[in-house]
Amino acid sequence: MNNQHVPLLKSLSVRLGLVLFVVVAGAVAIVYVAVVPPLESRLINATFSDLEQVSALPAQVIGRANVEGRRSQYQGLADTFSVQLNARVVVYEALAPPALAVIADSRPGPADGVGSDRIAVASSESGQVEHGRVNRGGQEFAEVARPAVSGGQQVEPVTTLLVSQPLAERLSAVSVVRRDILIFGGVALAVSWLVGALAALKLTRRIQRLEVAADRIAGGDFDAKIEDTGQDELGQLARTFDQMRERLASLDHARREFIANASHELRTPLFALGGFLELLADEDLEEGTRRDFLETASGQVDRLTRLATDLLDLSRLDAGQLGLESEPVDLGAAAQELVDGFGGLAEATGHVLRLSPRDGDVAAVGDEQRVLQIGRSLIENALRHTPTGTTVDVTVAQAGERATLAVHDDGPGVRPE
């Protein structure tokens, strides 16, 4: 039996579990990519949109205050709008580009880079609304900067309004989603690996049973039935294996019987030939009796020759090398040759062997040697397996394009069983 150990990485259970793991990991990655970045982008873009809308009014108020010379009110306005918008509001005045000066800040604190904020600088230079995402002091902020206007016109000196709102609260929702995807994805990966390993283990056990059965059959044991109740392809394979086992068992039984029969058939003429040789060694043997012994011995040699030919033909048949000739055959002459050849055996066994009369020649197309071989087998069976006194008729006939050579006997026939 083949007991070779399969390397772990080549094991079907490991490979199937790995396949499921990769599939689930790919699905989790797709879900992650399809959900987390777009969700984060939508939340941030929504924040930008909200800040752009709510910053329009403060920009107009700051611009009007600039025109009316109420610059001293910038800080108060910044503080008021900061409370209303729940955001940091910074007012800048342009210096030599690209420098900006902070003239009002609703949430002043340590130097955190707000004085050179890139979003405010970009808006001051372009004169347009700008927005972006910045990291300040280790925190993420969404910022919108826009020029202060009055009556739809940018005021002088150039004044820029910056509204900055922390993203921590909104990004926390993204973090929750990201965490949940990773956690449940990890659980799904573990479950998929476990399920794949268990399913593959069951599958490999069925395959191992088939492997054991195949080794057993290869060793010549055809008795144990191969059973698999599965209705899938593996179950069908097991049933096919079992059919093969039954056929091989039948062939093995036939082979054993053939060997036993062939051994018996070979021993009989050899034993007879040995007896004849001993008798022929007797110098006092009469000449007529000696000729009879030689004739009988010659018949036994012919019988051995036919057995050897049959065995050779059988081996050729198994190898697919048995060829058939296609040539004109005189069935009448073949039948006569058969009757003449078995005349002595028929007389010795007490049978009547005769060739039925025919009208004219019966011509056919075939392999003459195979015709004679089959005819000899039929006549020998008739003489061997029918009682003494049985008549064996050899007939040839032609009906249209069909020519036949037949052997009939009036014996009891073969029992149905």
Side-chain angles (χ1 to χ4, degrees):
M1 183 179 295
N2 183 7
N3 291 320
Q4 291 183 353
H5 178 69
V6 178
L8 181 62
L9 293 180
K10 293 185 178 180
S11 170
L12 181 60
S13 58
V14 174
R15 294 169 70 180
L16 183 56
L18 182 60
V19 169
L20 288 177
F21 182 89
V22 171
V23 170
V24 174
V28 171
I30 291 174
V31 171
Y32 183 91
V33 172
V35 173
V36 175
L39 176 61
E40 182 175 348
S41 178
R42 284 196 297 269
L43 288 176
I44 293 175
N45 288 336
T47 302
F48 290 149
S49 179
D50 292 343
L51 292 178
E52 287 181 9
Q53 292 179 9
V54 300
S55 64
L57 178 61
Q60 294 177 7
V61 173
I62 294 295
R64 189 178 306 114
N66 188 346
V67 172
E68 294 175 355
R70 293 183 287 111
R71 298 179 63 193
S72 60
Q73 297 180 1
Y74 283 175
Q75 186 61 50
L77 292 173
D79 293 338
T80 300
F81 286 124
S82 176
V83 173
Q84 292 177 352
L85 304 180
N86 189 26
R88 183 177 186 177
V89 177
V90 183
V91 181
Y92 297 91
E93 188 172 277
L95 300 178
L100 295 176
V102 178
I103 57 177
D105 187 351
S106 64
R107 298 176 186 177
D112 54 8
V114 72
S116 58
D117 187 275
R118 62 182 179 83
I119 307 300
V121 171
S123 177
S124 177
E125 291 178 346
S126 66
Q128 304 292 327
V129 178
E130 301 287 347
H131 67 258
R133 181 177 175 179
V134 299
N135 187 296
R136 187 179 302 116
Q139 295 185 18
E140 293 282 342
F141 293 88
E143 294 186 346
V144 170
R146 66 193 309 153
V149 295
S150 178
Q153 300 295 324
Q154 187 169 339
V155 299
E156 293 291 342
V158 175
T159 305
T160 302
L161 176 71
L162 175 71
V163 180
S164 178
Q165 192 174 65
L167 288 172
E169 184 176 351
R170 298 202 177 191
L171 292 180
S172 64
V174 179
S175 299
V176 170
V177 173
R178 180 187 294 109
R179 182 195 62 195
D180 290 345
I181 290 177
L182 294 177
I183 291 175
F184 289 110
V187 173
L189 288 174
V191 171
S192 67
W193 182 276
L194 179 61
V195 170
L198 292 177
L201 181 61
K202 182 178 179 180
L203 187 63
T204 51
R205 285 179 178 175
R206 294 171 64 191
I207 295 176
Q208 287 171 354
R209 287 198 294 269
L210 286 179
E211 182 183 4
V212 171
D215 286 342
R216 189 171 60 243
I217 292 174
D221 182 5
F222 307 111
D223 296 331
K225 185 177 181 180
I226 302 174
E227 295 183 355
D228 192 301
T229 58
Q231 300 301 316
D232 53 8
E233 292 83 353
L234 200 56
Q236 180 61 40
L237 177 61
R239 288 185 285 275
T240 302
F241 258 53
D242 195 59
Q243 293 174 0
M244 179 189 71
R245 177 193 64 81
E246 293 177 351
R247 292 171 185 164
L248 289 175
S250 177
L251 289 174
D252 186 65
H253 179 70
R255 179 184 61 83
R256 294 176 185 274
E257 285 192 349
F258 173 78
I259 292 175
N261 292 334
S263 298
H264 174 73
E265 293 293 334
L266 288 171
R267 281 198 304 268
T268 300
L270 287 173
F271 180 76
L273 284 173
F276 287 133
L277 289 174
E278 290 181 3
L279 293 173
L280 289 172
D282 187 358
E283 296 180 355
D284 298 333
L285 193 64
E286 295 181 359
E287 187 62 28
T289 303
R290 187 184 300 275
R291 284 196 301 270
D292 290 341
F293 284 171
L294 287 173
E295 183 178 349
T296 306
S298 178
Q300 295 299 328
V301 171
D302 290 340
R303 184 178 178 186
L304 283 174
T305 302
R306 290 195 301 272
L307 285 173
T309 301
D310 291 342
L311 290 175
L312 180 59
D313 288 343
L314 183 60
S315 64
R316 288 175 176 173
L317 186 62
D318 287 338
Q321 298 176 350
L322 183 63
L324 295 175
E325 301 293 335
S326 180
E327 57 188 6
V329 179
D330 185 350
L331 290 185
Q336 187 64 57
E337 181 178 345
L338 291 170
V339 172
D340 293 341
F342 282 91
L345 180 60
E347 183 177 353
T349 57
H351 290 78
V352 178
L353 178 61
R354 63 190 183 187
L355 177 62
S356 298
R358 62 184 187 279
D359 297 332
D361 296 333
V362 178
V365 175
D367 190 323
E368 184 175 6
Q369 294 303 317
R370 302 304 172 197
V371 172
L372 292 173
Q373 183 179 7
I374 296 171
R376 282 193 292 266
S377 297
L378 294 175
I379 294 175
E380 186 173 3
N381 285 339
L383 296 177
R384 182 181 300 277
H385 300 293
T386 58
T388 300
T390 301
T391 299
V392 179
D393 286 317
V394 180
T395 63
V396 292
Q398 187 164 5
E401 297 183 353
R402 183 179 180 84
T404 59
L405 185 153
V407 178
H408 303 272
D409 64 68
D410 55 4
V414 180
R415 292 192 301 273
E417 61 273 13

